[in-house]
Amino acid sequence: MASLLENEVFMAYTTYAAVVTLKMMLMGPMTSYFRITRSSFSNEEDVLGKSPEEKKKCMKSHPDVERVKRCHQNDLENVIPFVVIGLLYAATSPELSSALLHFRLFAGARIFHTIAYICVLPQPSRALSWMLGMLVTFSMAYNVLTAAAYF
Amino acid sequence: MASLLENEVFMAYTTYAAVVTLKMMLMGPMTSYFRITRSSFSNEEDVLGKSPEEKKKCMKSHPDVERVKRCHQNDLENVIPFVVIGLLYAATSPELSSALLHFRLFAGARIFHTIAYICVLPQPSRALSWMLGMLVTFSMAYNVLTAAAYF
Amino acid sequence: MASLLENEVFMAYTTYAAVVTLKMMLMGPMTSYFRITRSSFSNEEDVLGKSPEEKKKCMKSHPDVERVKRCHQNDLENVIPFVVIGLLYAATSPELSSALLHFRLFAGARIFHTIAYICVLPQPSRALSWMLGMLVTFSMAYNVLTAAAYF
């Protein structure tokens, strides 16, 4: 199995898959941060020891928390397909330069997407970075299905 | 690594994993389509340049958008476990015919599930296709754990 | 490909990845169970054959259903990154004892997290088990990136 890491395409996949997965995971602590600073929780047990009035206030949703959650959800919907399709793509032995182009474009697009979402950059910045990420994954899927279609 | 694609079970896995992942990804653009045609958005920056009254109207949720989002979420909850368990299952060297049966049933069930969800087919069509997809994944997981349990 | 299952680290990965993925999948039927026992549905077609008044009542959200859904969502956000990073980690040929420690800690933390979430155990039990799971995945990601960084 060690031989996988002697394959440069697989090493590049490993690196970029780890990077975008870590980026996605960081949305979790970021949600916690916004929940605490904006005092907006979803679970009764998270606001114990407060007065009933304060409790009710803390159980309301806050626009900033909802925004981070939408960004996290968008990551789940886009980063995970990239990780899946990317692994299948790496297994089709593509050119290293072509693989790196796909991986770098996707990682860049998703990091920019998060910045555009959280910092509320004007549209169409968020829409374009989302589309670029999708196109990269579709391009890899096209390569996978032409190399290994077996229905 | 090229040898993976000389293995027929792995080629079949690659094909069906790519198909169901692509199907799941298409829910993203479909959500965008419903958001635009139903004028229902979640982000302030998506409705810039409209009058405050129109803005408020566009920020309301719409039942069709919510339906696509629930369908997408159900895909995340079912397709991703299939992709994960399916890869482990393919690594246990199952019979090709048995593997193809699992993969085809799952892909068919999930494609029908999406149609049943979006076109609002009468129940229990959606429930049954959801259950069939789950059963396929459970069956593969059973095969994985009997072949490779190592706690 | 059969050789993957002669590798003990990969066998351990296979076992624990299957276990946590199955645990995550069980949240689906659990949501169904709560939806039916609490009479709380999201789709019109799920409450056919009821009087309009009863229908309206059945389409309201119920705190128990929302809780299971949040728990399921948290699983998606944490278990899938573990499965992805864990596979890359297993490919870096770590020590078996070190790999088992990571996998066991994560599986234990997530099973406890679900119990803490559904049974409403007092905080910080849920928060700590969530953090432990995250730390395990970050530790594996650190190992992956030091073994295979290729930008």
Side-chain angles (χ1 to χ4, degrees):
Chain A
M1 195 158 187
S3 65
L4 281 183
L5 291 187
E6 283 157 24
N7 179 315
E8 285 182 311
V9 169
F10 189 75
M11 271 190 75
Y13 168 73
T14 298
T15 306
Y16 285 96
V19 165
V20 292
T21 306
L22 281 173
K23 194 227 74 57
M24 178 173 78
M25 284 185 75
L26 286 178
M27 306 312 288
M30 202 189 277
T31 307
S32 300
Y33 169 79
F34 276 103
R35 280 202 186 284
I36 291 164
T37 54
R38 269 65 171 176
S39 284
S40 166
F41 299 91
S42 301
N43 296 297
E44 287 277 337
E45 67 269 29
D46 300 352
V47 291
L48 268 186
K50 296 196 173 172
S51 68
E53 209 172 272
E54 222 181 330
K55 245 183 211 178
K56 215 178 157 183
K57 225 170 111 190
C58 287
M59 296 296 287
K60 271 190 197 159
S61 69
H62 187 284
D64 291 352
V65 174
E66 295 306 309
R67 179 174 286 276
V68 188
K69 280 172 68 183
R70 284 196 303 273
C71 183
H72 199 167
Q73 183 71 16
N74 197 282
D75 266 358
L76 287 171
E77 293 168 5
N78 288 277
V79 169
I80 298 166
F82 166 82
V83 169
V84 171
I85 302 283
L87 179 65
L88 306 176
Y89 171 69
T92 64
S93 315
E95 288 290 315
L96 177 62
S97 59
S98 171
L100 277 174
L101 182 67
H102 281 92
F103 300 160
R104 283 174 185 157
L105 271 179
F106 185 86
R110 292 309 300 184
I111 290 167
F112 180 77
H113 180 271
T114 303
I115 297 169
Y117 217 140
I118 303 299
C119 303
V120 199
L121 298 190
Q123 285 280 32
S125 58
R126 201 187 81 230
L128 289 179
S129 57
W130 173 72
M131 276 177 209
L132 178 58
M134 276 235 153
L135 285 178
V136 170
T137 311
F138 281 135
S139 162
M140 293 194 305
Y142 173 80
N143 280 295
V144 167
L145 287 176
T146 49
Y150 191 104
F151 287 96
Chain B
M1 196 158 186
S3 65
L4 281 181
L5 290 187
E6 284 156 23
N7 180 313
E8 285 184 310
V9 170
F10 189 76
M11 272 191 73
Y13 167 75
T14 297
T15 306
Y16 285 96
V19 166
V20 292
T21 305
L22 280 173
K23 195 226 73 53
M24 178 172 78
M25 283 185 76
L26 286 178
M27 306 312 288
M30 202 189 278
T31 307
S32 299
Y33 169 79
F34 277 104
R35 280 202 187 285
I36 291 163
T37 54
R38 269 65 170 174
S39 283
S40 166
F41 299 91
S42 300
N43 295 299
E44 288 276 338
E45 68 269 29
D46 300 352
V47 290
L48 268 187
K50 297 196 171 172
S51 68
E53 210 173 89
E54 222 181 329
K55 242 183 211 178
K56 216 177 155 183
K57 227 171 111 189
C58 286
M59 295 296 288
K60 270 190 197 159
S61 69
H62 187 284
D64 290 352
V65 174
E66 296 305 308
R67 179 174 287 274
V68 188
K69 280 171 67 182
R70 284 197 302 275
C71 184
H72 199 167
Q73 183 71 15
N74 197 283
D75 266 358
L76 287 172
E77 293 168 5
N78 288 277
V79 169
I80 298 166
F82 166 81
V83 169
V84 170
I85 302 283
L87 178 66
L88 306 176
Y89 170 70
T92 63
S93 315
E95 288 290 316
L96 178 62
S97 59
S98 171
L100 277 174
L101 182 67
H102 280 92
F103 300 160
R104 284 173 185 160
L105 271 179
F106 185 86
R110 293 309 300 183
I111 289 167
F112 180 77
H113 180 271
T114 303
I115 297 169
Y117 218 138
I118 303 299
C119 303
V120 200
L121 298 190
Q123 286 281 34
S125 61
R126 200 185 83 229
L128 289 179
S129 57
W130 173 72
M131 275 178 210
L132 178 57
M134 276 235 152
L135 285 178
V136 170
T137 312
F138 281 135
S139 163
M140 293 194 305
Y142 173 81
N143 280 296
V144 167
L145 287 176
T146 48
Y150 191 104
F151 287 97
Chain C
M1 197 158 186
S3 66
L4 281 181
L5 290 187
E6 284 157 23
N7 179 313
E8 285 183 310
V9 169
F10 189 76
M11 274 190 72
Y13 167 74
T14 297
T15 306
Y16 285 96
V19 165
V20 292
T21 305
L22 281 173
K23 194 226 75 55
M24 179 172 78
M25 284 185 74
L26 286 178
M27 305 313 289
M30 203 189 277
T31 307
S32 300
Y33 169 79
F34 277 103
R35 280 203 186 284
I36 291 163
T37 54
R38 268 65 170 176
S39 284
S40 165
F41 299 92
S42 302
N43 295 299
E44 288 276 339
E45 68 269 29
D46 301 351
V47 291
L48 269 187
K50 298 196 170 171
S51 68
E53 209 173 90
E54 222 181 329
K55 243 184 211 180
K56 215 176 156 185
K57 225 172 112 189
C58 286
M59 295 296 288
K60 270 189 196 160
S61 69
H62 186 284
D64 290 353
V65 175
E66 296 306 307
R67 179 175 287 275
V68 187
K69 280 173 67 183
R70 284 197 302 275
C71 184
H72 200 167
Q73 183 70 15
N74 197 282
D75 265 359
L76 286 173
E77 293 168 5
N78 288 277
V79 169
I80 298 166
F82 166 81
V83 169
V84 170
I85 302 282
L87 178 66
L88 306 175
Y89 171 69
T92 63
S93 315
E95 288 289 316
L96 178 62
S97 58
S98 171
L100 276 174
L101 182 67
H102 281 92
F103 300 161
R104 284 174 184 157
L105 271 179
F106 185 86
R110 293 307 303 183
I111 290 167
F112 180 77
H113 180 270
T114 303
I115 297 169
Y117 217 138
I118 304 299
C119 303
V120 199
L121 298 189
Q123 285 279 33
S125 60
R126 201 187 82 230
L128 288 179
S129 57
W130 173 72
M131 277 178 209
L132 179 57
M134 276 235 152
L135 285 178
V136 170
T137 311
F138 281 135
S139 163
M140 293 194 305
Y142 174 80
N143 280 295
V144 167
L145 288 176
T146 48
Y150 191 104
F151 288 96

